[in-house]
Amino acid sequence: MFRTHTNGELTLQNLDQNVTLTGWVQTIRDKGFMIWIDLRDRYGITQLVFDADRSSAELLDNAKKLGREFVIQVNGKVIERQSKNPKIPTGEIEILVENLTILNESQLPPFTIEDETDGGEELRMKYRYLDIRRNPVKDKLIFRHKMAQKVRNYLSDNGFIEVETPVLIKSTPEGARDFVVPSRMNPGQFYALPQSPQTFKQLLMIGGMDRYFQIVKCFRDEDLRADRQPEFTQIDCEMAFVEQEDVLEIFEGMTATLLKDIAGNDFGKFPRMTFADAMKKYGNDKPDIRFGMEFVEVNELVKGKDFKIFDDSELVVGINVEGCADYTRKQIDELIDWVKRPQIGASGMVWIKYQNDGVVTSSVNKFYSEEDLQRVAAAFNAKPGDLILLMSGNENKVRTQLSALRMELGNRLGLRNPKEFAPLWVIDFPLLEWDEESGRYHAMHHPFTSPKPEDLELIHTEPGKVRANAYDLVLNGNEIGGGSVRIFDKDLQSRMFDLLGFTKEEAEAQFGFLMNAFRYGAPPHAGLAFGFDRLVAILDGNEVIRDYIAFPKNNSGRDVMIDAPSPIADLQLEELALNVDIKE
Amino acid sequence: MFRTHTNGELTLQNLDQNVTLTGWVQTIRDKGFMIWIDLRDRYGITQLVFDADRSSAELLDNAKKLGREFVIQVNGKVIERQSKNPKIPTGEIEILVENLTILNESQLPPFTIEDETDGGEELRMKYRYLDIRRNPVKDKLIFRHKMAQKVRNYLSDNGFIEVETPVLIKSTPEGARDFVVPSRMNPGQFYALPQSPQTFKQLLMIGGMDRYFQIVKCFRDEDLRADRQPEFTQIDCEMAFVEQEDVLEIFEGMTATLLKDIAGNDFGKFPRMTFADAMKKYGNDKPDIRFGMEFVEVNELVKGKDFKIFDDSELVVGINVEGCADYTRKQIDELIDWVKRPQIGASGMVWIKYQNDGVVTSSVNKFYSEEDLQRVAAAFNAKPGDLILLMSGNENKVRTQLSALRMELGNRLGLRNPKEFAPLWVIDFPLLEWDEESGRYHAMHHPFTSPKPEDLELIHTEPGKVRANAYDLVLNGNEIGGGSVRIFDKDLQSRMFDLLGFTKEEAEAQFGFLMNAFRYGAPPHAGLAFGFDRLVAILDGNEVIRDYIAFPKNNSGRDVMIDAPSPIADLQLEELALNVDIKE
């Protein structure tokens, strides 16, 4: 071992001890006759001192040769500091250095290794190994590890077995695009990388494993959006002989354990909301319930007053922005412009102010009497000082637009405190959703999700109304997990494939082995998967996942540090029986 | 929840309780008026009883409809058994069934779901989900999980951080073949799947992570031999500011923790042996030291006696097979045939018997007096009743041949007890090994392994003699882990690439990012990786790894259950800018 202690542990308790430390030179303060160095490692910072009075001339000379990020080993005595630093655990001591060894030199790094760095995103990614030396990045990776350990221990303690499912599997055209892997031993054939271990975990239930989990890499070849990664990590779980309630209970327990560890408080029973209610109250299937601003629908109060825009709208719906009646015209216009941006796509917005003087006024005074407006304000439980914003249009679209506005205002008004946690189960998702493009229904969760038995008879008459035993766990406005009770009856599964427009042949080719497995005593089962990258980020009070991934890819799916992907040798292509054929 | 209890927990303590159980019908004994069913789940077996006296006629009728592997739910009372089964925890009770629900039927499975099944390997793999229901397979997967948990907790407790390194990385022609993944977003470019996270863990050390581990899937596109899998799992570790001794200590501790858990006893300090000694004493760099039969070299004793075969041999070496002097001529001839098989390739073998009557005789009495033979016997510490077997030839070849014979005799004589554990560190591996085919030196471990400083000066004169700070952990004759102290100096790393025949351009193209990272303060570091599949198998007293993998591939790299790899759609190929081009 090159050291006797780390840089995070020495205190006055260690006074006068002779210690050996290693690490990176963080900062150098050279006063000529005295040099102070902050020595950094994963565990902290320790101040080193070299001093013309107490150190040899040679040692002082050597210390003067050091540069930022040099790797050194020092030996010396723990002494009490003159000016203490109460902000760090080692702030009461320093090391009077007696021996200095340079273990490795360093070029000047391309950005500063500080909590607030001068390095831009791209530079930091290219030199990610230097970026990881920075506390904010390092701490996030350590936090991720701790969460993974807690998850594994919780699930293990609850009888779950972590089973590794294969990474080289079979491509299925369903869902997002697969990454594929050409097989040299089977020319012209390909493996696929799993988008999730879904079928394998169901096979494990059929195999009697009873309770399965895995923290596992999954892969999706999507056109990347910001904060989407081609490889991502799931906490994947499945249980046999259970109903929806059992799954919610176990994973509520798991999430509460993590939250308690972070936030310190007990979260009791997580609230639950149906999908229908979530859409109606928040316009969103993953509502952030840290703040109110619930939707109020006012069709009855505003229609038939000759305001054509509202009269022609399927839905008029609004939110009460409490205490914001004093917004200036300019502020409100800016909000209107915000909802009119193409990303939101609203055609306009109506405002009603409940002034502090008790007067209710609006941008549509021409059509509505103050009495009319009072009635609307009452529907919102508005008080003097509140601002009501109304939007209108197609039911689904206007909800989505108003939801975006609600979240934006939540951010602007500081209602989304990242250190406050509001978990929520959203349940009773629709089984199917209509896809305009293909003109048919798609599985909202996936084709193995069980319909609610009581809705089963609607399946051929009003398939859109069939609810599923499907559930999402939402935390602070983010879906962190989702799952469903699975179909375990081969006939029902077969009907489901019909409904989703699979031919018998397609269903057989893609899921034949699962359908076959259903013939040999499949138990009732249900499961859930968490997006681990996102879960960790949100638990840590962030919404950007990239810094919780050690070596992330950029938005073009590239690792700019190792420069991947890259061309491969002709011999490799030949062995794989492949030609590259780039069409211009 | 479909059940109140599992099938492994009810005892006389639960007498008269009303319970609900679920599981699979393991066996049915139908005596007409009474039916006994063994109900199975992951946790055990519970006996159910249906009885014409105590059950309704309808219930008895329904029970008669059950078949093997049906999934059922039963409700009934815990009663004391007439004839108890002391072999299972629930053997004192049975359930007098009151309600029976068939949750799912089952076709007759293609093989019996018993500890000893009638299913062959291929059938079991095709229906792996049924195979997993069998205790021997299920228990192996659970054992694997427990070992993984113990490893994670041990390493976590010792300050290691599990960091997930990327799966989509860059192809490097060095070493075994990579699996590659075409990038749709970057046509003509490919990711590669990692053969190990070697460079990433070194970058994490440069990034100050200090102690890293990961239980991680790795990939190697090799022509498969028996018991080789294209995807396999490693426990991958790296530490900064350490020397070889620190690595050995940590991972000796980890292994001892696992062994203590399994075998119950403390293993103390693991023995160590240099590579040179292992080759000399056992002809093998992973000796099984559960038994002796150490090699004895007898050049001085047997040469110059006109026995031309020995006179012409570089090395005459043998083993003492204790207590086997009574082997018949036939038995010995069979052993001679065994070493002459092409897999071993020996040209012959000489035997010397130290008979129980004290006479020493041999197959080469023509050349050696009894006194000569006595001297040889003495060199082996042979006693009356022992059999000495001598082989001769080229030093390296004869050692390998004799090692194979030693292991074979160890097996035949029952000296390799799978429940006995003999860990061993093999250290001081050569840095380089000569490759006949390419006519140059290759890195024995990998190109990042540090030479021993004291051997550094031999690097240009006698490179084959340079020893590395490289070590293997051997358990019962299997290499379960291996690692090295790494080079952390860019100039030495550069010299190493020269020595291995890389041009500057090749080194830059393949390892440029690592070489670049070395410029920014790389700390001294060292690491180790365990083959987790093999480790688990050996800890469980097995050497076949396949059953410790939930869904293994066969020797052609196929998953016969899901039928992968398989052709993909033309559209997929087109999007990837690829043509399949199979040359006949």
Side-chain angles (χ1 to χ4, degrees):
Chain A
M1 198 70 118
F2 282 73
R3 67 193 175 206
T4 57
H5 295 79
T6 69
N7 291 318
E9 62 182 308
L10 295 171
T11 65
L12 285 177
Q13 304 250 316
N14 304 89
L15 218 58
D16 292 331
Q17 285 181 16
N18 190 286
V19 299
T20 304
L21 298 179
T22 54
W24 286 265
V25 172
Q26 170 86 25
T27 54
I28 306 172
R29 273 172 304 146
D30 186 347
K31 299 273 174 196
F33 58 95
M34 258 186 131
I35 299 172
W36 288 271
I37 285 177
D38 276 355
L39 186 65
R40 185 195 67 237
D41 64 12
R42 185 182 112 196
Y43 310 92
I45 294 266
T46 300
Q47 181 165 298
L48 312 178
V49 60
F50 302 79
D51 167 349
D53 287 344
R54 293 174 289 177
S55 310
S56 74
E58 191 197 348
L59 183 62
L60 207 66
D61 272 358
N62 281 337
K64 282 180 194 290
K65 288 180 199 149
L66 296 177
R68 265 169 46 204
E69 301 306 317
F70 274 41
V71 184
I72 61 172
Q73 181 186 45
V74 295
N75 175 266
K77 206 161 78 169
V78 181
I79 60 174
E80 186 167 2
R81 270 208 220 179
Q82 295 291 334
S83 63
K84 300 198 169 51
N85 177 355
K87 286 187 200 149
I88 60 172
T90 62
E92 296 193 303
I93 59 96
E94 60 191 358
I95 310 299
L96 180 63
V97 177
E98 288 159 24
N99 295 293
L100 164 67
T101 309
I102 295 175
L103 295 173
N104 218 338
E105 300 190 348
S106 175
Q107 291 186 1
L108 196 69
F111 50 84
T112 54
I113 312 296
E114 306 275 355
D115 290 5
E116 298 291 329
T117 181
D118 57 356
E121 175 86 1
E122 206 175 317
L123 202 59
R124 293 202 293 116
M125 289 304 145
K126 186 165 160 57
Y127 296 89
R128 182 65 161 176
Y129 46 88
L130 297 179
D131 199 28
I132 290 173
R133 285 190 197 158
R134 296 170 53 238
N135 291 323
V137 180
K138 182 195 72 183
D139 291 346
K140 287 181 174 69
L141 296 177
I142 294 175
F143 179 79
R144 181 185 177 110
H145 162 67
K146 286 187 179 153
M147 290 301 109
Q149 277 292 107
K150 278 194 185 294
V151 166
R152 282 200 164 91
N153 286 329
Y154 174 89
L155 291 173
S156 249
D157 291 346
N158 279 282
F160 287 78
I161 303 297
E162 184 160 22
V163 180
E164 294 175 55
T165 55
V167 176
L168 297 172
I169 65 164
K170 184 177 178 160
S171 187
T172 56
E174 176 71 358
R177 278 192 201 82
D178 288 321
F179 281 107
V180 297
V181 181
S183 166
R184 183 179 54 85
M185 310 234 308
N186 305 274
Q189 299 189 12
F190 295 76
Y191 302 99
L193 304 181
Q195 297 184 28
S196 93
Q198 182 64 33
T199 45
F200 288 96
K201 68 177 175 176
Q202 293 195 245
L203 292 172
L204 285 170
M205 293 304 102
I206 296 171
M209 199 42 75
D210 207 68
R211 293 183 164 205
Y212 145 90
F213 83 102
Q214 192 181 187
I215 300 187
V216 60
K217 276 278 174 78
C218 299
F219 306 86
R220 216 167 277 176
D221 183 12
E222 287 176 307
D223 297 321
L224 299 173
R225 299 197 299 250
D227 224 27
R228 275 275 176 94
Q229 291 283 323
E231 52 179 298
F232 55 96
T233 303
Q234 268 187 205
I235 309 172
D236 191 49
C237 306
E238 197 79 7
M239 304 168 77
F241 299 112
V242 293
E243 290 154 303
Q244 171 169 314
E245 192 57 36
D246 306 301
V247 179
L248 300 196
E249 202 172 283
I250 282 282
F251 293 98
E252 187 163 313
M254 183 185 102
T255 310
T257 302
L258 301 179
L259 286 173
K260 177 155 194 192
D261 197 61
I262 295 156
N265 51 320
D266 276 322
F267 278 80
K269 203 97 188 103
F270 292 1
R272 295 183 188 184
M273 193 181 292
T274 63
F275 172 85
D277 277 353
M279 294 310 289
K280 209 171 156 67
K281 285 191 193 165
Y282 299 96
N284 198 311
D285 62 0
K286 41 180 198 280
D288 187 342
I289 59 167
R290 280 176 299 184
F291 64 104
M293 263 191 237
E294 284 185 22
F295 290 11
V296 176
E297 302 186 350
V298 291
N299 278 8
E300 292 75 42
L301 299 175
V302 300
K303 287 200 175 195
K305 302 280 180 175
D306 292 339
F307 182 44
K308 196 167 163 6
I309 293 175
F310 282 179
D311 284 349
D312 291 349
S313 292
E314 197 179 357
L315 177 66
V316 184
V317 58
I319 52 177
N320 178 8
V321 193
E322 292 181 23
C324 291
D326 57 355
Y327 269 25
T328 61
R329 185 61 196 247
K330 198 176 151 201
Q331 280 177 296
I332 290 180
D333 281 349
E334 191 270 331
L335 278 181
I336 293 173
D337 286 345
W338 192 89
V339 297
K340 282 171 139 178
R341 294 180 318 146
Q343 298 94 314
I344 310 294
S347 49
M349 186 162 67
V350 163
W351 56 262
I352 302 174
K353 285 180 177 179
Y354 197 147
Q355 292 175 181
N356 280 316
D357 59 11
V359 174
V360 181
T361 183
S362 79
S363 56
V364 286
N365 282 350
K366 212 193 307 182
F367 302 99
Y368 298 95
S369 67
E370 195 178 343
E371 218 163 60
D372 291 335
L373 298 176
Q374 288 277 13
R375 268 195 293 273
V376 174
F380 281 90
N381 284 320
K383 330 168 284 300
D386 287 355
L387 170 70
I388 291 163
L389 298 173
L390 295 180
M391 293 172 78
S392 63
N394 163 281
E395 188 174 294
N396 289 334
K397 281 188 186 154
V398 72
R399 280 179 177 154
T400 303
Q401 292 160 356
L402 188 60
S403 169
L405 176 65
R406 175 179 174 272
M407 291 297 271
E408 176 67 14
L409 287 167
N411 284 332
R412 292 189 187 186
L413 298 170
L415 304 173
R416 305 190 65 209
N417 173 7
K419 296 294 171 199
E420 186 191 334
F421 295 100
L424 170 74
W425 285 110
V426 177
I427 58 174
D428 296 354
F429 273 78
L431 181 68
L432 303 166
E433 62 185 345
W434 183 255
D435 184 62
E436 290 290 347
E437 203 180 313
S438 59
R440 62 182 178 88
Y441 282 104
H442 280 236
M444 192 148 182
H445 190 58
H446 55 52
F448 315 110
T449 299
S450 176
K452 280 190 179 286
E454 62 267 35
D455 289 2
L456 206 49
E457 58 187 38
L458 297 170
I459 212 160
H460 289 290
T461 53
E462 294 180 278
K465 289 205 172 163
V466 177
R467 291 166 306 160
N469 277 322
Y471 33 81
D472 275 359
L473 184 53
V474 172
L475 185 59
N476 296 3
N478 295 276
E479 181 209 324
I480 55 168
S484 64
V485 175
R486 321 302 184 188
I487 296 169
F488 69 104
D489 175 77
K490 67 178 191 316
D491 296 327
L492 180 57
Q493 186 65 69
S494 201
R495 276 168 66 193
M496 193 58 57
F497 285 135
D498 288 350
L499 197 67
L500 295 171
F502 286 78
T503 65
K504 285 266 173 284
E505 292 67 34
E506 283 166 350
E508 175 58 33
Q510 288 176 43
F511 302 109
F513 59 97
L514 184 65
M515 298 290 281
N516 205 28
F518 278 164
R519 292 177 216 280
Y520 294 101
H525 59 291
L528 182 140
F530 285 85
F532 187 58
D533 308 292
R534 169 147 291 116
L535 173 65
V536 169
I538 292 165
L539 290 174
D540 203 27
N542 262 298
E543 291 195 351
V544 180
I545 66 174
R546 193 168 291 176
D547 274 348
Y548 294 87
I549 298 170
F551 300 100
K553 307 238 178 338
N554 73 9
N555 284 346
S556 326
R558 292 201 75 79
D559 183 326
V560 295
M561 180 184 72
I562 62 172
D563 191 26
S566 60
I568 57 173
D570 289 343
L571 179 65
Q572 277 175 291
L573 283 171
E574 199 176 303
E575 285 187 334
L576 296 170
L578 289 178
N579 288 329
V580 169
D581 177 22
I582 302 176
K583 299 204 167 56
E584 297 307 318
Chain B
M1 200 69 119
F2 282 72
R3 67 193 175 207
T4 57
H5 295 79
T6 70
N7 291 316
E9 62 182 307
L10 295 171
T11 65
L12 284 177
Q13 305 249 316
N14 304 89
L15 217 58
D16 293 330
Q17 285 180 16
N18 190 286
V19 299
T20 304
L21 299 179
T22 54
W24 286 265
V25 172
Q26 170 86 23
T27 53
I28 306 172
R29 273 172 302 145
D30 186 347
K31 298 275 176 197
F33 58 96
M34 258 185 129
I35 300 171
W36 288 273
I37 285 178
D38 275 356
L39 187 66
R40 186 195 69 236
D41 63 13
R42 185 182 113 195
Y43 310 92
I45 294 267
T46 300
Q47 180 165 296
L48 312 178
V49 59
F50 303 79
D51 166 348
D53 287 344
R54 292 174 291 177
S55 309
S56 74
E58 192 197 344
L59 183 62
L60 207 67
D61 271 0
N62 281 337
K64 282 179 194 292
K65 288 179 199 149
L66 296 176
R68 266 169 46 204
E69 300 305 317
F70 274 42
V71 184
I72 62 172
Q73 180 186 45
V74 294
N75 175 266
K77 207 162 78 170
V78 181
I79 59 175
E80 187 166 1
R81 268 207 222 181
Q82 295 292 334
S83 61
K84 300 199 166 51
N85 177 355
K87 286 186 201 149
I88 60 172
T90 63
E92 296 193 300
I93 59 95
E94 61 191 356
I95 310 299
L96 180 62
V97 176
E98 287 158 26
N99 294 293
L100 165 66
T101 308
I102 295 175
L103 295 172
N104 219 338
E105 300 190 349
S106 175
Q107 290 185 4
L108 197 68
F111 50 85
T112 55
I113 312 296
E114 306 274 356
D115 290 5
E116 298 291 330
T117 181
D118 57 357
E121 175 86 0
E122 206 176 315
L123 202 59
R124 292 203 294 114
M125 289 304 146
K126 187 166 161 55
Y127 296 90
R128 183 64 161 175
Y129 47 89
L130 297 178
D131 199 28
I132 290 172
R133 285 189 197 158
R134 296 170 54 239
N135 291 323
V137 181
K138 182 195 72 183
D139 291 346
K140 287 181 174 69
L141 296 177
I142 294 175
F143 179 79
R144 180 184 177 112
H145 162 68
K146 286 186 179 154
M147 290 301 110
Q149 276 293 107
K150 277 192 187 297
V151 166
R152 282 200 164 92
N153 287 329
Y154 174 89
L155 291 173
S156 248
D157 291 346
N158 279 282
F160 288 79
I161 304 296
E162 185 162 21
V163 179
E164 295 173 55
T165 54
V167 176
L168 296 172
I169 65 163
K170 185 177 176 159
S171 189
T172 57
E174 175 71 359
R177 276 192 201 85
D178 288 322
F179 281 107
V180 296
V181 180
S183 165
R184 183 178 54 86
M185 310 232 310
N186 304 275
Q189 299 189 13
F190 295 75
Y191 302 99
L193 303 181
Q195 296 182 31
S196 93
Q198 182 64 32
T199 45
F200 288 96
K201 69 177 175 177
Q202 292 195 245
L203 292 173
L204 285 170
M205 292 304 102
I206 296 171
M209 199 42 75
D210 206 68
R211 294 184 163 204
Y212 144 90
F213 84 101
Q214 192 180 189
I215 301 187
V216 61
K217 276 278 174 78
C218 300
F219 306 86
R220 217 167 276 175
D221 183 14
E222 287 176 308
D223 297 320
L224 299 173
R225 298 196 301 250
D227 224 27
R228 274 275 177 95
Q229 291 283 323
E231 53 179 298
F232 56 97
T233 303
Q234 268 187 204
I235 309 172
D236 191 50
C237 306
E238 197 79 9
M239 304 168 75
F241 300 111
V242 294
E243 290 154 306
Q244 172 169 314
E245 192 57 36
D246 307 300
V247 179
L248 300 196
E249 202 172 283
I250 280 282
F251 293 98
E252 187 163 312
M254 184 185 100
T255 311
T257 301
L258 301 179
L259 285 173
K260 176 153 195 195
D261 196 63
I262 295 156
N265 51 319
D266 277 322
F267 279 79
K269 203 97 188 106
F270 292 0
R272 296 182 188 186
M273 193 181 290
T274 63
F275 172 86
D277 277 353
M279 294 310 289
K280 209 171 155 68
K281 285 191 193 165
Y282 300 96
N284 197 312
D285 62 0
K286 41 180 198 280
D288 187 342
I289 59 167
R290 280 175 298 185
F291 64 104
M293 265 192 233
E294 284 184 22
F295 291 10
V296 177
E297 302 185 352
V298 291
N299 278 9
E300 294 74 42
L301 299 174
V302 300
K303 288 199 175 198
K305 301 281 178 173
D306 291 339
F307 181 43
K308 196 169 163 4
I309 294 176
F310 282 0
D311 284 349
D312 291 350
S313 292
E314 196 179 358
L315 178 65
V316 184
V317 58
I319 52 177
N320 177 8
V321 193
E322 291 181 22
C324 291
D326 55 357
Y327 269 24
T328 61
R329 185 62 197 247
K330 201 177 148 198
Q331 280 177 297
I332 290 180
D333 281 349
E334 191 271 330
L335 278 180
I336 294 173
D337 287 343
W338 192 89
V339 298
K340 283 169 135 178
R341 293 180 318 146
Q343 297 94 314
I344 311 295
S347 51
M349 185 162 68
V350 164
W351 56 262
I352 302 174
K353 285 180 177 179
Y354 197 146
Q355 292 176 182
N356 280 317
D357 60 9
V359 174
V360 181
T361 183
S362 80
S363 56
V364 285
N365 282 350
K366 214 194 307 182
F367 303 99
Y368 298 95
S369 67
E370 196 179 341
E371 219 165 60
D372 291 334
L373 297 176
Q374 289 277 12
R375 269 196 293 272
V376 174
F380 281 90
N381 283 320
K383 334 167 282 302
D386 288 353
L387 170 69
I388 291 163
L389 299 174
L390 295 179
M391 294 171 79
S392 62
N394 163 280
E395 188 173 294
N396 288 335
K397 280 189 187 154
V398 70
R399 281 180 176 152
T400 303
Q401 291 160 358
L402 187 61
S403 170
L405 177 65
R406 175 180 174 271
M407 291 296 271
E408 175 68 13
L409 286 167
N411 283 331
R412 291 190 188 186
L413 297 170
L415 303 173
R416 306 190 66 211
N417 173 9
K419 297 293 171 200
E420 186 190 334
F421 295 100
L424 170 74
W425 286 110
V426 177
I427 57 174
D428 296 354
F429 274 78
L431 182 68
L432 303 166
E433 61 185 344
W434 182 256
D435 183 62
E436 291 290 348
E437 204 180 312
S438 58
R440 63 182 177 89
Y441 282 103
H442 281 235
M444 191 147 182
H445 190 57
H446 55 54
F448 315 109
T449 299
S450 175
K452 279 189 179 288
E454 62 267 35
D455 289 2
L456 207 48
E457 57 187 37
L458 296 170
I459 213 159
H460 289 291
T461 53
E462 294 178 278
K465 289 207 172 159
V466 177
R467 291 166 305 159
N469 277 322
Y471 32 81
D472 275 357
L473 183 53
V474 172
L475 185 59
N476 296 3
N478 295 277
E479 180 210 324
I480 56 166
S484 65
V485 175
R486 321 301 182 187
I487 297 169
F488 68 105
D489 176 78
K490 67 178 191 315
D491 296 328
L492 180 56
Q493 186 65 67
S494 200
R495 276 168 67 195
M496 192 58 55
F497 285 135
D498 288 350
L499 198 66
L500 295 170
F502 286 78
T503 65
K504 285 265 174 285
E505 292 69 33
E506 284 166 349
E508 174 59 32
Q510 288 176 44
F511 302 109
F513 59 97
L514 184 65
M515 297 291 281
N516 204 28
F518 278 163
R519 293 178 215 279
Y520 294 100
H525 58 291
L528 181 141
F530 286 85
F532 187 57
D533 308 292
R534 169 147 291 113
L535 173 65
V536 169
I538 291 164
L539 290 174
D540 203 28
N542 262 299
E543 291 194 350
V544 180
I545 67 174
R546 193 168 292 177
D547 274 348
Y548 294 86
I549 298 171
F551 300 100
K553 306 235 177 344
N554 72 9
N555 284 347
S556 324
R558 293 200 75 80
D559 183 325
V560 295
M561 181 184 71
I562 62 173
D563 192 27
S566 60
I568 57 174
D570 289 343
L571 178 65
Q572 277 175 291
L573 283 171
E574 200 177 301
E575 286 187 334
L576 296 170
L578 289 177
N579 288 329
V580 170
D581 176 23
I582 301 176
K583 299 204 168 58
E584 295 307 318

